[in-house]
Amino acid sequence: MYESLTHFLKTFSAESPFLWALLVMAVIAMTGLVLYGFWEIVLRGVGLALGGGDRGNGSGPGGH
């Protein structure tokens, strides 16, 4: 399986370098978006867990 994938990637990159470049850029962009979404969810969860989930209800300083 890995040999056929390696062969395909080598052939694809040699035969059509423009499409290869677009594929690489698309994979990098999608990876960045997935990681961004993952860390947004993780950090919001941590913030809610540490802050007690009372964000935005006006009970903080000056919220009377």
Side-chain angles (χ1 to χ4, degrees), residues 31-56:
T31 302
L33 288 173
V34 167
L35 287 173
Y36 171 77
F38 171 76
W39 285 114
E40 275 292 313
I41 292 169
V42 167
L43 293 176
R44 282 183 195 239
V46 168
L48 289 174
L50 294 178
D54 59 352
R55 295 174 65 187

Side-chain angles (χ1 to χ4, degrees), residues 13-37:
S13 65
E15 290 179 0
S16 45
F18 182 72
L19 290 176
W20 174 252
L22 288 178
L23 175 67
V24 169
M25 288 191 303
V27 167
I28 290 172
M30 288 302 298
T31 302
L33 288 173
V34 167
L35 287 173
Y36 171 77

